[in-house]
Amino acid sequence: MSEGHPSPFPTALILDTSFLRTIGGTDSSQYQTFIEYVRSKDRDLYLTESVVEELTEQRGYISIDWVDRANTTEWVTALGEVQTGVRVHDGPRAGEVLERAHERLAEFEKTAPDKLRKTDAELPAAAVMLLGSTPHDSVGVVMDDRNAERAIEGVIENTYYEGRIRVLDIWTTIEHMKSQLG
């Protein structure tokens, strides 16, 4: 599963809808810890195109308008479309990562791949893009979805991206952030 101790903590974090839904609104201690850590430790947050689409669809179910924040703040960035041809060194191309993660997730979910959204599978592909186009040495994919975590980890295992793309569950992430804030 996801890492038990996420240190050193990635400087770039791609946020999944599951994470944003679970973290709660501005009144929750998890949200406050997360935002304080991100701002004080100079972390960059990213939303994929599919996550933005899901957030737009779920407006009203998630108490913070993360899409608006991505458009109006410097600490959250909405990524454009995943560039499927991007690869870093000898790692698989972003499109290959996306397809493999999607296939694995469909197996875990016992759903036909064409019936399953590609939102979760897009996350590691976006991480490949960030590794190839930004100065970040590692990218964390933060989520609250065990099947997606397993699918992503299985795809990046034994590739150039292992250790560079890191799957972080919400509770491990929040606990690590609390410990670093004192």
Side-chain angles (χ1 to χ4, degrees), residues 14-18 46-51 79 82 97-98 101 118-130 139-145 148-149 152 165 167:
I14 298 176
L15 308 177
D16 183 41
T17 310
S18 63
Y46 296 92
L47 304 176
T48 64
E49 191 171 64
S50 294
V51 167
L79 296 170
V82 170
V97 170
L98 188 152
K118 291 191 174 183
T119 304
D120 293 334
E122 185 182 66
L123 301 171
V128 170
M129 263 182 29
L130 289 174
V139 178
V141 176
V142 188
M143 56 187 1
D144 187 24
D145 181 335
E149 290 173 24
I152 293 168
I165 298 174
V167 179

Side-chain angles (χ1 to χ4, degrees), residues 87-108:
R87 81 180 318 154
V88 181
H89 296 288
D90 66 347
R93 296 188 190 292
E96 294 170 301
V97 170
L98 188 152
E99 291 305 319
R100 289 179 193 162
H102 187 68
E103 289 169 8
R104 285 179 60 88
L105 186 56
E107 286 176 30
F108 293 145

Side-chain angles (χ1 to χ4, degrees), residues 52-68:
V52 168
E53 184 179 308
E54 282 187 354
L55 291 172
T56 301
E57 290 170 4
Q58 295 179 23
R59 198 175 305 265
Y61 293 103
I62 298 178
S63 58
I64 302 296
D65 188 350
W66 288 93
V67 177
D68 180 61

Side-chain angles (χ1 to χ4, degrees), residues 14-181:
I14 298 176
L15 308 177
D16 183 41
T17 310
S18 63
F19 170 80
L20 298 173
R21 189 180 315 109
T22 304
I23 198 168
T26 56
D27 292 340
S28 81
S29 63
Q30 296 94 328
Y31 175 88
Q32 293 300 325
T33 298
F34 182 70
I35 296 305
E36 182 181 347
Y37 180 88
V38 165
R39 289 182 174 165
S40 68
K41 303 295 184 184
D42 199 29
R43 301 300 189 232
D44 295 326
L45 304 180
Y46 296 92
L47 304 176
T48 64
E49 191 171 64
S50 294
V51 167
V52 168
E53 184 179 308
E54 282 187 354
L55 291 172
T56 301
E57 290 170 4
Q58 295 179 23
R59 198 175 305 265
Y61 293 103
I62 298 178
S63 58
I64 302 296
D65 188 350
W66 288 93
V67 177
D68 180 61
R69 297 244 164 114
N71 292 330
T72 60
T73 66
E74 293 180 12
W75 48 274
V76 182
T77 302
L79 296 170
E81 185 178 336
V82 170
Q83 303 301 310
T84 57
V86 173
R87 81 180 318 154
V88 181
H89 296 288
D90 66 347
R93 296 188 190 292
E96 294 170 301
V97 170
L98 188 152
E99 291 305 319
R100 289 179 193 162
H102 187 68
E103 289 169 8
R104 285 179 60 88
L105 186 56
E107 286 176 30
F108 293 145
E109 297 285 337
K110 296 180 178 32
T111 303
D114 61 333
K115 303 268 191 236
L116 187 65
R117 289 180 89 156
K118 291 191 174 183
T119 304
D120 293 334
E122 185 182 66
L123 301 171
V128 170
M129 263 182 29
L130 289 174
L131 287 173
S133 64
T134 66
H136 297 291
D137 292 334
S138 68
V139 178
V141 176
V142 188
M143 56 187 1
D144 187 24
D145 181 335
R146 298 289 182 237
N147 284 338
E149 290 173 24
R150 288 178 30 218
I152 293 168
E153 288 171 341
V155 168
I156 60 174
E157 187 176 44
N158 298 319
T159 71
Y160 173 81
Y161 307 123
E162 186 172 12
R164 291 174 175 87
I165 298 174
R166 300 170 56 203
V167 179
L168 306 167
D169 72 87
I170 182 173
W171 306 116
T172 302
T173 299
I174 295 299
E175 286 307 312
H176 175 76
M177 290 176 170
K178 281 181 186 176
S179 74
Q180 296 301 301
L181 291 172

